[in-house]
Amino acid sequence: MKLRSILLNLAVALIALAVMFPLVWMVSVSFMSTGEAAAFPPPLWPKNWTLEHYRDLFVTQGMGRYLWNSFALATMATVLALGFTVPAGYAFAKLKFRGRERLFQLLVAALVVPAQIGTLPLFLMLKSMGLVNTWAGALVPWLASIFGLFLVRQYALSIPDEMLEAARVDGASESQIFRKVVLPTMQPIVVTLALFVFLGSWNDFLWPLIILTDQSNYTLPVALAALSREHVQDAEMMMAGAVITVAPVLAIFLALQRYYIRGMLAGSVKG
């Protein structure tokens, strides 16, 4: 039994090492001198640690502006998504209105449709509204997702009806019940959804590439792709750009992972 436990831990450690290695090497290369990573065999660690690529990205390439664009868009997308999705998911779970079940079934059925199919119609619609190359246009796909609605509804089903009825008997309005009773109870799934939306918006490449035509509005992934065309041979600078893109979301995920895991586990067992 002890040998089996040791082998299992060893296997987990090897898998973790294999998963972490590209990330660690990416960070290591970002501190190497220009051309050092092109040597064969590739070095694991820099001979002389340098910050020249980070300095070049922020001073010469304007990476600070792209970082701000990504942060602002991801934050606004998260706030808007929570503002629309959480009340809607709660309504589908606990409030009674005509056609509720049928409408929810139709929304769930739409989950099987690939999101890319709606890209062209959405772009043409936003173009007719004059929202191309605006942050408003970039935020539209994040306003309310069916997956988020499904996630919130499943979690809200676990809230006891007796608790809501007791609040109504005490004279609380529906908005007071939602703010003071429902939202505190749904904290894990709200944080989970916020994390999903923030990470999704931060990492999104296709939609910002389509809707944002002005370079000053680029987000980090789009700016990095544009930069790679000019500096295709400069692997150290590209790795530094990748570190700047990954580090903020990795830090946020690690800080909120306990809420994320709790929310996912709870949502997976509520029917």
Side-chain angles (χ1 to χ4, degrees), residues 52-64 66 215 227 230-231 237:
E52 64 173 305
H53 307 299
Y54 290 96
R55 190 165 46 244
D56 192 19
L57 283 173
F58 280 99
V59 176
T60 309
Q61 307 296 338
M63 192 58 71
Y66 306 134
Q215 189 171 351
L227 196 63
E230 303 172 10
H231 300 270
M237 178 181 283

Side-chain angles (χ1 to χ4, degrees), residues 96-220:
K96 293 179 180 167
F97 54 90
R98 190 175 179 183
R100 183 185 70 171
E101 297 302 324
R102 182 157 297 182
L103 179 58
F104 183 72
Q105 289 168 0
L106 286 173
L107 289 173
V108 172
L111 276 173
V112 301
V113 180
Q116 290 79 2
I117 289 180
T119 300
L120 180 58
L122 181 60
F123 175 79
L124 294 176
M125 185 177 71
L126 294 179
K127 185 179 178 182
S128 67
M129 297 168 66
L131 294 179
V132 173
N133 197 32
T134 65
W135 282 14
L139 290 170
V140 167
W142 299 100
L143 293 182
S145 71
I146 299 175
F147 176 72
L149 187 66
F150 176 79
L151 206 62
V152 173
R153 177 188 177 271
Q154 295 306 102
Y155 193 92
L157 287 173
S158 67
I159 300 174
D161 292 334
E162 293 79 8
M163 188 166 68
L164 304 178
E165 288 301 327
R168 290 188 182 105
V169 170
D170 287 342
S173 65
E174 290 299 327
S175 63
Q176 287 175 323
I177 293 173
F178 180 73
R179 285 186 287 107
K180 298 181 179 179
V181 178
V182 174
L183 277 183
T185 309
M186 297 176 66
Q187 185 191 38
I189 203 64
V190 171
V191 175
T192 301
L193 181 61
L195 202 55
F196 266 132
V197 176
F198 191 91
L199 297 183
S201 175
W202 182 280
N203 294 326
D204 190 21
F205 172 74
L206 181 61
W207 182 247
L209 179 68
I210 294 172
I211 198 74
L212 300 175
T213 55
D214 191 340
Q215 189 171 351
S216 64
N217 288 330
Y218 280 0
T219 56
L220 273 175

